[in-house]
């Protein structure tokens, strides 16, 4: 009888010791994780080809895209606008951006020049579009042929773009912080953890 009590006493001490060691290990592991910095893998996508977007104003005053083709130099991307009165304007990327920014949101996609420019492939070069799953809007194009051509141009711009991935420290890491899956224009980020 005495022998059994001693054995149970020893077993309970061993069990308590095991629990203590496991608790200590878990606490140190949690403490170690809190010191790790969060990093973000950022993918920079840079187009190697540019786009020429041609837009036509109809007799009803509505603008539609009639053609979108790639060109060798992305810095030479432009929009050529054919007005109903015969006037032709050529807008560089800065002018396209200004036209889009000055337009009220109600003009998006309603046949106004600024709204059609928002849907053009040209707009992809001016603020984050290179990483989005951009698909041309069929309503922005005058004909199905122009829309199909735009899809081919879009695919070519995506396929020929260069992609560079680098890892940076996330300045807003920690509990309760907001960590976005996308960052500034032309970038895509994913979260990773390391010491």
């Amino acid at each position: 009888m005495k022998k059994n009590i001693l054995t149970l006493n020893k077993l309970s001490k061993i069990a308590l010791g095991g629990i203590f060691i496991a608790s200590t290990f878990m606490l140190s592991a949690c403490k170690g994780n809190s010191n790790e910095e969060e990093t973000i893998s950022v993918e920079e996508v840079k187009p190697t080809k540019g786009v020429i977007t041609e837009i036509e104003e109809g007799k009803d005053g509505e603008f539609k895209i009639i053609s979108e083709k790639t060109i060798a130099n992305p810095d030479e991307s432009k929009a050529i606008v054919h007005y109903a009165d015969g006037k032709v304007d050529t807008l560089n990327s800065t002018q396209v951006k200004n036209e889009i920014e000055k337009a009220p949101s109600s003009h998006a996609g309603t046949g106004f020049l600024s709204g059609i420019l928002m849907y053009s492939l040209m707009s992809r070069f001016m603020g984050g579009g290179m990483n989005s799953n951009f698909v041309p809007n069929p309503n922005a194009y005058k004909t199905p042929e122009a829309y199909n051509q735009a899809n081919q141009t879009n695919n070519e711009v995506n396929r020929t773009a260069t992609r560079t991935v680098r890892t940076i420290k996330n300045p807003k890491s920690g509990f309760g912080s907001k960590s976005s899956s996308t960052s500034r224009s032309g970038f895509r980020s994913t979260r990773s953890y390391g010491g």
Side-chain angles (χ1 to χ4, degrees):
M1 187 86 169
K2 219 174 192 184
K3 214 171 192 184
N4 286 342
I5 292 172
L6 285 174
T7 306
L8 287 174
N9 192 14
K10 282 183 181 179
L11 284 174
S12 64
K13 285 182 180 179
I14 291 170
L16 284 173
I19 292 170
F20 177 76
I21 290 169
S23 300
T24 304
F25 177 74
M26 286 173 56
L27 284 172
S28 66
C30 289
K31 191 175 180 183
N33 284 342
S34 68
N35 291 333
E36 290 181 1
E37 288 184 347
E38 182 180 341
T39 60
I40 302 172
S41 294
V42 181
E43 181 183 51
E44 181 180 327
V45 181
K46 188 176 180 183
T48 60
K49 293 196 174 186
V51 174
I52 292 181
T53 297
E54 284 197 74
I55 298 171
E56 182 181 83
E57 181 184 23
K59 291 178 182 176
D60 57 0
E62 285 204 351
F63 290 87
K64 294 283 184 181
I65 299 169
I66 57 172
S67 172
E68 291 195 288
K69 297 177 183 174
T70 57
I71 56 172
N73 187 350
D75 295 332
E76 293 177 5
S77 293
K78 59 189 167 190
I80 301 170
V81 184
H82 302 270
Y83 292 92
D85 63 5
K87 180 184 168 192
V88 177
D89 265 348
T90 300
L91 308 174
N92 62 30
S93 57
T94 303
Q95 291 168 318
V96 169
K97 185 176 181 179
N98 291 341
E99 186 72 31
I100 290 171
E101 286 178 349
K102 72 181 182 185
S105 59
S106 60
H107 283 197
T110 58
F112 291 95
L113 178 60
S114 54
I116 292 301
L117 285 168
M118 282 185 211
Y119 286 122
S120 72
L121 296 181
M122 266 291 294
S123 68
R124 297 196 67 198
F125 294 91
M126 295 170 290
M130 284 307 298
N131 272 334
S132 66
N133 295 322
F134 181 87
V135 176
N137 181 337
N139 296 325
Y141 295 85
K142 186 175 181 180
T143 64
E145 292 77 23
Y147 174 68
N148 291 336
Q149 181 191 48
N151 276 305
Q152 291 172 8
T153 301
N154 185 41
N155 291 338
E156 187 176 352
V157 169
N158 282 332
R159 189 181 69 250
T160 58
T162 59
R163 288 166 169 78
T164 308
V165 178
R166 55 193 174 91
T167 302
I168 60 171
K169 290 180 184 176
N170 185 0
K172 293 185 178 180
S173 63
F175 180 76
S177 68
K178 293 180 182 178
S179 185
S180 174
S181 63
T182 58
S183 60
R184 55 186 186 271
S185 105
F187 292 90
R188 181 173 64 214
S189 63
T190 54
R191 297 171 72 175
S192 63
Y193 296 90

PDB file of all heavy atoms in Angstrom, residues 4-31:
ATOM      1  N   ASN A   4       2.467   1.932  -3.433  1.00  0.00           N
ATOM      2  CA  ASN A   4       1.566   2.513  -4.433  1.00  0.00           C
ATOM      3  C   ASN A   4       1.419   4.021  -4.247  1.00  0.00           C
ATOM      4  O   ASN A   4       1.368   4.756  -5.216  1.00  0.00           O
ATOM      5  CB  ASN A   4       0.194   1.842  -4.357  1.00  0.00           C
ATOM      6  CG  ASN A   4       0.227   0.445  -4.947  1.00  0.00           C
ATOM      7  OD1 ASN A   4       1.145   0.115  -5.691  1.00  0.00           O
ATOM      8  ND2 ASN A   4      -0.756  -0.366  -4.607  1.00  0.00           N
ATOM      9  N   ILE A   5       1.352   4.503  -3.044  1.00  0.00           N
ATOM     10  CA  ILE A   5       1.217   5.938  -2.770  1.00  0.00           C
ATOM     11  C   ILE A   5       2.464   6.677  -3.231  1.00  0.00           C
ATOM     12  O   ILE A   5       2.389   7.707  -3.863  1.00  0.00           O
ATOM     13  CB  ILE A   5       0.938   6.189  -1.272  1.00  0.00           C
ATOM     14  CG1 ILE A   5      -0.450   5.666  -0.907  1.00  0.00           C
ATOM     15  CG2 ILE A   5       1.039   7.670  -0.954  1.00  0.00           C
ATOM     16  CD1 ILE A   5      -0.765   5.689   0.554  1.00  0.00           C
ATOM     17  N   LEU A   6       3.632   6.129  -2.955  1.00  0.00           N
ATOM     18  CA  LEU A   6       4.876   6.761  -3.403  1.00  0.00           C
ATOM     19  C   LEU A   6       4.932   6.820  -4.928  1.00  0.00           C
ATOM     20  O   LEU A   6       5.345   7.813  -5.519  1.00  0.00           O
ATOM     21  CB  LEU A   6       6.089   6.007  -2.857  1.00  0.00           C
ATOM     22  CG  LEU A   6       6.393   6.210  -1.381  1.00  0.00           C
ATOM     23  CD1 LEU A   6       7.527   5.292  -0.935  1.00  0.00           C
ATOM     24  CD2 LEU A   6       6.775   7.658  -1.114  1.00  0.00           C
ATOM     25  N   THR A   7       4.499   5.801  -5.586  1.00  0.00           N
ATOM     26  CA  THR A   7       4.521   5.756  -7.045  1.00  0.00           C
ATOM     27  C   THR A   7       3.574   6.814  -7.616  1.00  0.00           C
ATOM     28  O   THR A   7       3.920   7.530  -8.544  1.00  0.00           O
ATOM     29  CB  THR A   7       4.124   4.359  -7.557  1.00  0.00           C
ATOM     30  OG1 THR A   7       4.970   3.402  -6.931  1.00  0.00           O
ATOM     31  CG2 THR A   7       4.270   4.251  -9.044  1.00  0.00           C
ATOM     32  N   LEU A   8       2.382   6.943  -7.047  1.00  0.00           N
ATOM     33  CA  LEU A   8       1.438   7.965  -7.505  1.00  0.00           C
ATOM     34  C   LEU A   8       1.989   9.360  -7.251  1.00  0.00           C
ATOM     35  O   LEU A   8       1.839  10.265  -8.081  1.00  0.00           O
ATOM     36  CB  LEU A   8       0.088   7.793  -6.788  1.00  0.00           C
ATOM     37  CG  LEU A   8      -0.756   6.596  -7.222  1.00  0.00           C
ATOM     38  CD1 LEU A   8      -1.983   6.468  -6.336  1.00  0.00           C
ATOM     39  CD2 LEU A   8      -1.183   6.779  -8.679  1.00  0.00           C
ATOM     40  N   ASN A   9       2.648   9.545  -6.123  1.00  0.00           N
ATOM     41  CA  ASN A   9       3.249  10.839  -5.787  1.00  0.00           C
ATOM     42  C   ASN A   9       4.325  11.200  -6.811  1.00  0.00           C
ATOM     43  O   ASN A   9       4.394  12.324  -7.298  1.00  0.00           O
ATOM     44  CB  ASN A   9       3.808  10.771  -4.366  1.00  0.00           C
ATOM     45  CG  ASN A   9       4.173  12.144  -3.836  1.00  0.00           C
ATOM     46  OD1 ASN A   9       3.781  13.145  -4.411  1.00  0.00           O
ATOM     47  ND2 ASN A   9       4.923  12.175  -2.757  1.00  0.00           N
ATOM     48  N   LYS A  10       5.170  10.224  -7.150  1.00  0.00           N
ATOM     49  CA  LYS A  10       6.226  10.472  -8.135  1.00  0.00           C
ATOM     50  C   LYS A  10       5.638  10.793  -9.504  1.00  0.00           C
ATOM     51  O   LYS A  10       6.105  11.690 -10.202  1.00  0.00           O
ATOM     52  CB  LYS A  10       7.147   9.241  -8.247  1.00  0.00           C
ATOM     53  CG  LYS A  10       8.132   9.104  -7.128  1.00  0.00           C
ATOM     54  CD  LYS A  10       9.020   7.911  -7.363  1.00  0.00           C
ATOM     55  CE  LYS A  10      10.011   7.740  -6.212  1.00  0.00           C
ATOM     56  NZ  LYS A  10      10.859   6.578  -6.413  1.00  0.00           N
ATOM     57  N   LEU A  11       4.587  10.054  -9.888  1.00  0.00           N
ATOM     58  CA  LEU A  11       3.960  10.297 -11.192  1.00  0.00           C
ATOM     59  C   LEU A  11       3.350  11.688 -11.284  1.00  0.00           C
ATOM     60  O   LEU A  11       3.458  12.362 -12.301  1.00  0.00           O
ATOM     61  CB  LEU A  11       2.878   9.236 -11.457  1.00  0.00           C
ATOM     62  CG  LEU A  11       3.372   7.849 -11.860  1.00  0.00           C
ATOM     63  CD1 LEU A  11       2.206   6.875 -11.931  1.00  0.00           C
ATOM     64  CD2 LEU A  11       4.085   7.904 -13.208  1.00  0.00           C
ATOM     65  N   SER A  12       2.723  12.135 -10.213  1.00  0.00           N
ATOM     66  CA  SER A  12       2.122  13.464 -10.233  1.00  0.00           C
ATOM     67  C   SER A  12       3.196  14.554 -10.321  1.00  0.00           C
ATOM     68  O   SER A  12       3.019  15.557 -10.997  1.00  0.00           O
ATOM     69  CB  SER A  12       1.227  13.682  -9.017  1.00  0.00           C
ATOM     70  OG  SER A  12       1.985  13.657  -7.829  1.00  0.00           O
ATOM     71  N   LYS A  13       4.351  14.333  -9.671  1.00  0.00           N
ATOM     72  CA  LYS A  13       5.455  15.292  -9.754  1.00  0.00           C
ATOM     73  C   LYS A  13       6.022  15.344 -11.179  1.00  0.00           C
ATOM     74  O   LYS A  13       6.322  16.416 -11.703  1.00  0.00           O
ATOM     75  CB  LYS A  13       6.562  14.938  -8.756  1.00  0.00           C
ATOM     76  CG  LYS A  13       6.236  15.279  -7.332  1.00  0.00           C
ATOM     77  CD  LYS A  13       7.378  14.945  -6.408  1.00  0.00           C
ATOM     78  CE  LYS A  13       7.038  15.282  -4.971  1.00  0.00           C
ATOM     79  NZ  LYS A  13       8.114  14.938  -4.056  1.00  0.00           N
ATOM     80  N   ILE A  14       6.137  14.187 -11.803  1.00  0.00           N
ATOM     81  CA  ILE A  14       6.649  14.128 -13.181  1.00  0.00           C
ATOM     82  C   ILE A  14       5.676  14.841 -14.121  1.00  0.00           C
ATOM     83  O   ILE A  14       6.073  15.623 -14.986  1.00  0.00           O
ATOM     84  CB  ILE A  14       6.876  12.667 -13.611  1.00  0.00           C
ATOM     85  CG1 ILE A  14       8.054  12.076 -12.820  1.00  0.00           C
ATOM     86  CG2 ILE A  14       7.130  12.558 -15.111  1.00  0.00           C
ATOM     87  CD1 ILE A  14       8.213  10.577 -12.985  1.00  0.00           C
ATOM     88  N   ALA A  15       4.380  14.613 -13.931  1.00  0.00           N
ATOM     89  CA  ALA A  15       3.366  15.236 -14.784  1.00  0.00           C
ATOM     90  C   ALA A  15       3.390  16.756 -14.612  1.00  0.00           C
ATOM     91  O   ALA A  15       3.348  17.513 -15.585  1.00  0.00           O
ATOM     92  CB  ALA A  15       1.988  14.685 -14.463  1.00  0.00           C
ATOM     93  N   LEU A  16       3.491  17.220 -13.358  1.00  0.00           N
ATOM     94  CA  LEU A  16       3.548  18.664 -13.111  1.00  0.00           C
ATOM     95  C   LEU A  16       4.807  19.280 -13.708  1.00  0.00           C
ATOM     96  O   LEU A  16       4.783  20.370 -14.278  1.00  0.00           O
ATOM     97  CB  LEU A  16       3.481  18.950 -11.601  1.00  0.00           C
ATOM     98  CG  LEU A  16       2.115  18.809 -10.957  1.00  0.00           C
ATOM     99  CD1 LEU A  16       2.226  18.943  -9.433  1.00  0.00           C
ATOM    100  CD2 LEU A  16       1.169  19.859 -11.497  1.00  0.00           C
ATOM    101  N   GLY A  17       5.904  18.556 -13.606  1.00  0.00           N
ATOM    102  CA  GLY A  17       7.156  19.036 -14.197  1.00  0.00           C
ATOM    103  C   GLY A  17       7.048  19.157 -15.712  1.00  0.00           C
ATOM    104  O   GLY A  17       7.520  20.117 -16.328  1.00  0.00           O
ATOM    105  N   GLY A  18       6.392  18.168 -16.338  1.00  0.00           N
ATOM    106  CA  GLY A  18       6.190  18.192 -17.795  1.00  0.00           C
ATOM    107  C   GLY A  18       5.331  19.357 -18.222  1.00  0.00           C
ATOM    108  O   GLY A  18       5.605  20.033 -19.216  1.00  0.00           O
ATOM    109  N   ILE A  19       4.274  19.614 -17.469  1.00  0.00           N
ATOM    110  CA  ILE A  19       3.394  20.747 -17.768  1.00  0.00           C
ATOM    111  C   ILE A  19       4.154  22.061 -17.642  1.00  0.00           C
ATOM    112  O   ILE A  19       4.034  22.958 -18.474  1.00  0.00           O
ATOM    113  CB  ILE A  19       2.141  20.729 -16.857  1.00  0.00           C
ATOM    114  CG1 ILE A  19       1.251  19.541 -17.228  1.00  0.00           C
ATOM    115  CG2 ILE A  19       1.369  22.029 -16.950  1.00  0.00           C
ATOM    116  CD1 ILE A  19       0.114  19.283 -16.260  1.00  0.00           C
ATOM    117  N   PHE A  20       4.988  22.171 -16.595  1.00  0.00           N
ATOM    118  CA  PHE A  20       5.784  23.386 -16.391  1.00  0.00           C
ATOM    119  C   PHE A  20       6.745  23.623 -17.562  1.00  0.00           C
ATOM    120  O   PHE A  20       6.858  24.717 -18.086  1.00  0.00           O
ATOM    121  CB  PHE A  20       6.551  23.294 -15.058  1.00  0.00           C
ATOM    122  CG  PHE A  20       7.455  24.471 -14.823  1.00  0.00           C
ATOM    123  CD1 PHE A  20       6.926  25.694 -14.427  1.00  0.00           C
ATOM    124  CD2 PHE A  20       8.829  24.367 -15.014  1.00  0.00           C
ATOM    125  CE1 PHE A  20       7.758  26.774 -14.213  1.00  0.00           C
ATOM    126  CE2 PHE A  20       9.655  25.450 -14.812  1.00  0.00           C
ATOM    127  CZ  PHE A  20       9.125  26.654 -14.410  1.00  0.00           C
ATOM    128  N   ILE A  21       7.436  22.575 -17.999  1.00  0.00           N
ATOM    129  CA  ILE A  21       8.389  22.690 -19.109  1.00  0.00           C
ATOM    130  C   ILE A  21       7.656  23.072 -20.402  1.00  0.00           C
ATOM    131  O   ILE A  21       8.093  23.960 -21.145  1.00  0.00           O
ATOM    132  CB  ILE A  21       9.177  21.366 -19.289  1.00  0.00           C
ATOM    133  CG1 ILE A  21      10.134  21.182 -18.107  1.00  0.00           C
ATOM    134  CG2 ILE A  21       9.950  21.352 -20.607  1.00  0.00           C
ATOM    135  CD1 ILE A  21      10.763  19.807 -18.038  1.00  0.00           C
ATOM    136  N   ALA A  22       6.513  22.427 -20.651  1.00  0.00           N
ATOM    137  CA  ALA A  22       5.737  22.732 -21.862  1.00  0.00           C
ATOM    138  C   ALA A  22       5.242  24.178 -21.838  1.00  0.00           C
ATOM    139  O   ALA A  22       5.298  24.891 -22.850  1.00  0.00           O
ATOM    140  CB  ALA A  22       4.568  21.767 -22.007  1.00  0.00           C
ATOM    141  N   SER A  23       4.777  24.656 -20.676  1.00  0.00           N
ATOM    142  CA  SER A  23       4.292  26.036 -20.546  1.00  0.00           C
ATOM    143  C   SER A  23       5.410  27.032 -20.791  1.00  0.00           C
ATOM    144  O   SER A  23       5.231  28.050 -21.467  1.00  0.00           O
ATOM    145  CB  SER A  23       3.695  26.270 -19.159  1.00  0.00           C
ATOM    146  OG  SER A  23       2.616  25.408 -18.947  1.00  0.00           O
ATOM    147  N   THR A  24       6.578  26.750 -20.224  1.00  0.00           N
ATOM    148  CA  THR A  24       7.730  27.638 -20.401  1.00  0.00           C
ATOM    149  C   THR A  24       8.115  27.729 -21.869  1.00  0.00           C
ATOM    150  O   THR A  24       8.376  28.809 -22.400  1.00  0.00           O
ATOM    151  CB  THR A  24       8.934  27.137 -19.570  1.00  0.00           C
ATOM    152  OG1 THR A  24       8.528  27.016 -18.207  1.00  0.00           O
ATOM    153  CG2 THR A  24      10.107  28.072 -19.669  1.00  0.00           C
ATOM    154  N   PHE A  25       8.132  26.579 -22.543  1.00  0.00           N
ATOM    155  CA  PHE A  25       8.480  26.544 -23.961  1.00  0.00           C
ATOM    156  C   PHE A  25       7.473  27.343 -24.788  1.00  0.00           C
ATOM    157  O   PHE A  25       7.836  28.129 -25.659  1.00  0.00           O
ATOM    158  CB  PHE A  25       8.539  25.096 -24.447  1.00  0.00           C
ATOM    159  CG  PHE A  25       8.824  24.976 -25.914  1.00  0.00           C
ATOM    160  CD1 PHE A  25      10.100  25.218 -26.415  1.00  0.00           C
ATOM    161  CD2 PHE A  25       7.814  24.652 -26.803  1.00  0.00           C
ATOM    162  CE1 PHE A  25      10.355  25.125 -27.758  1.00  0.00           C
ATOM    163  CE2 PHE A  25       8.067  24.550 -28.157  1.00  0.00           C
ATOM    164  CZ  PHE A  25       9.342  24.789 -28.643  1.00  0.00           C
ATOM    165  N   MET A  26       6.176  27.167 -24.490  1.00  0.00           N
ATOM    166  CA  MET A  26       5.137  27.878 -25.248  1.00  0.00           C
ATOM    167  C   MET A  26       5.232  29.380 -25.035  1.00  0.00           C
ATOM    168  O   MET A  26       5.089  30.165 -25.972  1.00  0.00           O
ATOM    169  CB  MET A  26       3.750  27.361 -24.845  1.00  0.00           C
ATOM    170  CG  MET A  26       3.461  25.971 -25.408  1.00  0.00           C
ATOM    171  SD  MET A  26       1.928  25.239 -24.806  1.00  0.00           S
ATOM    172  CE  MET A  26       0.726  26.457 -25.242  1.00  0.00           C
ATOM    173  N   LEU A  27       5.488  29.804 -23.810  1.00  0.00           N
ATOM    174  CA  LEU A  27       5.619  31.239 -23.526  1.00  0.00           C
ATOM    175  C   LEU A  27       6.809  31.847 -24.246  1.00  0.00           C
ATOM    176  O   LEU A  27       6.734  32.927 -24.814  1.00  0.00           O
ATOM    177  CB  LEU A  27       5.742  31.480 -22.016  1.00  0.00           C
ATOM    178  CG  LEU A  27       4.454  31.364 -21.216  1.00  0.00           C
ATOM    179  CD1 LEU A  27       4.755  31.443 -19.712  1.00  0.00           C
ATOM    180  CD2 LEU A  27       3.484  32.456 -21.611  1.00  0.00           C
ATOM    181  N   SER A  28       7.935  31.141 -24.257  1.00  0.00           N
ATOM    182  CA  SER A  28       9.107  31.676 -24.939  1.00  0.00           C
ATOM    183  C   SER A  28       8.887  31.708 -26.450  1.00  0.00           C
ATOM    184  O   SER A  28       9.346  32.611 -27.133  1.00  0.00           O
ATOM    185  CB  SER A  28      10.362  30.869 -24.592  1.00  0.00           C
ATOM    186  OG  SER A  28      10.264  29.558 -25.109  1.00  0.00           O
ATOM    187  N   ALA A  29       8.150  30.735 -26.983  1.00  0.00           N
ATOM    188  CA  ALA A  29       7.860  30.718 -28.418  1.00  0.00           C
ATOM    189  C   ALA A  29       6.973  31.895 -28.790  1.00  0.00           C
ATOM    190  O   ALA A  29       7.204  32.568 -29.792  1.00  0.00           O
ATOM    191  CB  ALA A  29       7.195  29.402 -28.806  1.00  0.00           C
ATOM    192  N   CYS A  30       5.960  32.168 -27.954  1.00  0.00           N
ATOM    193  CA  CYS A  30       5.084  33.314 -28.224  1.00  0.00           C
ATOM    194  C   CYS A  30       5.849  34.616 -28.129  1.00  0.00           C
ATOM    195  O   CYS A  30       5.682  35.513 -28.930  1.00  0.00           O
ATOM    196  CB  CYS A  30       3.915  33.339 -27.244  1.00  0.00           C
ATOM    197  SG  CYS A  30       2.723  32.020 -27.535  1.00  0.00           S
ATOM    198  N   LYS A  31       6.716  34.726 -27.133  1.00  0.00           N
ATOM    199  CA  LYS A  31       7.511  35.937 -26.966  1.00  0.00           C
ATOM    200  C   LYS A  31       8.440  36.134 -28.163  1.00  0.00           C
ATOM    201  O   LYS A  31       8.610  37.236 -28.660  1.00  0.00           O
ATOM    202  CB  LYS A  31       8.322  35.837 -25.672  1.00  0.00           C
ATOM    203  CG  LYS A  31       8.983  37.125 -25.273  1.00  0.00           C
ATOM    204  CD  LYS A  31       9.663  36.990 -23.933  1.00  0.00           C
ATOM    205  CE  LYS A  31      10.323  38.287 -23.538  1.00  0.00           C
ATOM    206  NZ  LYS A  31      11.049  38.187 -22.294  1.00  0.00           N
TER     207      LYS A  31
END
